[in-house]
Amino acid sequence: MTGPTLRETQLVIALRRLVGRRHVLTKDRATARYRKGYRTGDGAVIAVVRPGSLVELWRVAQACVAADVSIIVQAANTGLTGGSTPDGGDYPGGLVLISTTRLAGLHVIRGGEQVVALPGTTLYGLEQALRPYGREPHSVIGSSCLGASVIGGVCNNSGGALIRRGPAFTQLALFGQVGPDGVLRLVNHLGIALGDAPETVLGRLDAWQLDDADVAAADDRWAHDHGYAAHVREIDSAAPARFNADPRCLFEAAGSAGKLIVFAVRLDTFVREEGTTSFYIGTNDPDRLTELRRTMLRDFDTLPIAGEYMDRTAFDVADRYGRDMFVAIERLGTDRLPALFAAKARVDRLREGLSDRVMQWAGRFLPDHLPPRMRAYRERFGHHLILKVPREQVGPARALLARLFPGDAVADHFVCTEAEGAKAFLHRFVAAGAAVRYRAVHGAEVEDIVALDVALPRNTREWVETLPAELESQVVHALYYGHFFCHVFHQDYVVRKGTDPLAFEHAVWALLDARGAQYPAEHNVGHLYVARPALADFYRGIDPRNQLNPGIGQTARGRGWQDATVEGDPA
């Protein structure tokens, strides 16, 4: 194993001068939690750098651009497709990973109607900050349970569970862009007067040396996707409602996937719903759920708040392999999860997967965490939906549910108590990590997880997937769960030992292409998916030098996109 080159050593010395020695990590054990993705991804780095201010972030980025190294900017490292971690070691000039977890600044503006979030701001932190204003962020549960960042959501056009809000999106951002001449430039489209010189702009934002006059209304730019509520109602459209390559939501920082250095975003907030009601629905006839979705989207004056789906297999795997995480979130709260994950990473340095096996063993001794009525529905029904509606929609929803889910052997529903509703949604959201746990515990029988997030056309009626026999025989478990009214589904295939995961994935892609699906829907391409032409063109436009997160979406890694042609790009 060769040591660092003289050029790399000089860069590390320079970076340590900028942020302090303890915040420039070079040893494998110290960098492991940043280099390895939550579900996939790993690779070598020259260093992991942890700036403590926006000015430090700018100086670090300048040094890396000048040294002509490749750069990945990472927030919470909670992504599921490896898009914020290295993928191998063949990066031009070597790779520096910049972690923004120390940059957790957050500023509430315009009486709580908007916020300015810095790179390390988490969804949980934003949710807490808005609570006194009676408002909430774009996403309020799900990713926030894993400590995901606000800017990470915008850069990945993350979706979330809330039907009316669509993908995380803004046209108001402050970002650094590397031009084709190899020069890093700061672009201020926040709609906030901060000055001209980059360090002046960033220093004022660091210190928040602003008054109301500095914050313009910026009404000509959107701070969320204003058109999504009408867009999702178009139930006869052959196009999906939301997906990562959708040009309507690719704008500068939004959808940039690490191809820009985003220092801040400005986002709208939303009035927190009071007096909501949650229904738990079970059926053995998926057509009933289709009619529910189409009727509510087409005919109801107000859209529902959330409609989260899971099938019986996802229910069971989440029940057994997500129980400890369910209890941790319920009892400790999401604010303690980052420390829990850090401790988990330290244990896994001793032996990969050790923490998962220990936590799974301990989880067997926890009391039953699910309400009895949910348990009964698991026995009766193969398809489960948790529907949350606003106060004004409760009456019409009750009438529709009484007609479609009348309480027979085919379909039923009940009104959740507050505790049941919270548990039902939490159970749905721990499903995403349950497959990872299953793989860790059953490594002898499992080759890997093939995890897809899929956007079906809005007019799809046959949304339940039936795998061909040759593919089904390769699967231990297939988990289906997702955001039903947006027709965004997460499909996790736990494939048997000896299966070629890549060949299996490509075979499923072919099935999805035949159905008119788009993928990925909300987790971005990372290094698992091929960026579709519109998305790849967007990346080329905002990072013409290809110095930031090169190779994302299986695109070129060379400077200037010289080897940009990728065989097999989906049309």
Side-chain angles (χ1 to χ4, degrees), residues 19-311:
V19 302
R21 185 179 186 89
R22 66 188 293 256
H23 295 300
V24 179
L25 314 176
T26 57
K27 301 296 184 183
D28 283 349
R29 290 189 63 182
T31 61
R33 62 176 291 206
Y34 304 94
R35 289 186 291 105
K36 296 183 179 181
Y38 171 68
R39 186 178 268 180
T40 186
D42 191 7
V45 296
I46 297 170
V48 172
V49 188
R50 303 176 63 245
S53 69
L54 296 179
V55 171
E56 285 188 358
L57 174 56
W58 171 258
R59 291 171 179 170
V60 166
Q62 278 190 312
C64 292
V65 169
D68 199 25
V69 298
S70 298
I71 304 165
I72 290 178
V73 180
Q74 180 189 93
N77 191 14
T78 59
L80 301 182
T81 60
S84 61
T85 50
D87 181 51
D90 57 336
Y91 285 88
L95 179 67
V96 169
L97 192 156
I98 304 174
S99 170
T100 62
T101 53
R102 296 177 64 211
L103 306 175
L106 166 65
H107 306 288
V108 179
I109 61 174
R110 306 188 73 188
E113 293 183 358
Q114 290 187 324
V115 295
V116 174
L118 304 192
T121 304
T122 65
L123 288 172
Y124 173 79
L126 179 54
E127 194 175 341
Q128 294 295 102
L130 290 176
R131 188 160 292 161
Y133 295 87
R135 303 186 73 86
E136 59 188 20
H138 167 271
S139 298
V140 296
I141 193 168
S143 297
S144 58
C145 292
L146 299 176
S149 71
V150 174
I151 284 183
V154 171
C155 292
N156 291 321
N157 281 148
S158 297
L162 300 178
I163 297 167
R164 309 170 194 172
R165 299 180 192 174
F169 178 77
T170 187
Q171 296 175 331
L172 298 164
L174 174 68
F175 55 89
Q177 184 173 32
V178 181
D181 55 359
V183 175
L184 178 67
R185 295 176 176 85
L186 188 67
V187 179
N188 181 8
H189 287 164
L190 272 180
I192 299 176
L194 294 165
D196 297 313
E199 292 201 6
T200 299
V201 170
L202 297 169
R204 290 190 70 197
L205 201 55
D206 270 325
W208 198 245
Q209 297 172 340
L210 306 169
D211 55 38
D212 292 343
D214 295 317
V215 181
D219 292 331
D220 58 328
R221 287 183 174 237
W222 287 3
H224 79 278
D225 182 358
H226 291 192
Y228 188 76
H231 182 71
V232 75
R233 284 185 181 270
E234 296 173 5
I235 57 174
D236 293 318
S237 170
R242 54 178 168 90
F243 55 98
N244 287 136
D246 188 351
R248 64 187 293 275
C249 287
L250 299 176
F251 187 90
E252 296 179 344
S256 59
K259 304 301 286 182
L260 299 171
I261 299 173
V262 183
F263 292 89
V265 294
R266 181 172 166 181
L267 296 164
D268 288 333
T269 68
F270 304 86
V271 175
R272 188 169 64 241
E273 299 272 6
E274 302 290 351
T276 62
T277 297
S278 294
F279 299 91
Y280 197 92
I281 300 163
T283 186
N284 293 316
D285 178 9
D287 289 344
R288 303 283 185 99
L289 293 177
T290 300
E291 187 172 351
L292 174 72
R293 171 183 172 270
R294 291 178 62 85
T295 301
M296 296 189 83
L297 291 180
R298 182 187 61 231
D299 298 340
F300 278 34
D301 292 337
T302 304
L303 286 174
I305 297 168
E308 291 297 295
Y309 168 80
M310 63 194 312
D311 72 351

Side-chain angles (χ1 to χ4, degrees), residues 331-365:
R331 296 184 182 179
L332 301 179
T334 53
D335 56 329
R336 298 189 184 180
L337 284 187
L340 178 63
F341 280 114
K344 184 178 183 298
R346 288 193 293 271
V347 172
D348 286 338
R349 289 176 200 162
L350 302 175
R351 182 181 174 187
E352 188 171 356
L354 177 60
S355 66
D356 283 305
R357 286 187 283 272
V358 170
M359 292 170 71
Q360 184 62 30
W361 174 82
R364 296 184 305 168
F365 301 101

Side-chain angles (χ1 to χ4, degrees), residues 466-490:
T466 302
L467 288 174
E470 64 271 21
L471 292 180
E472 188 174 13
S473 66
Q474 301 175 54
V475 174
V476 179
H477 292 298
L479 288 67
Y480 298 90
Y481 53 97
H483 315 304
F484 186 68
F485 283 75
C486 298
H487 254 15
V488 168
F489 293 90
H490 303 286

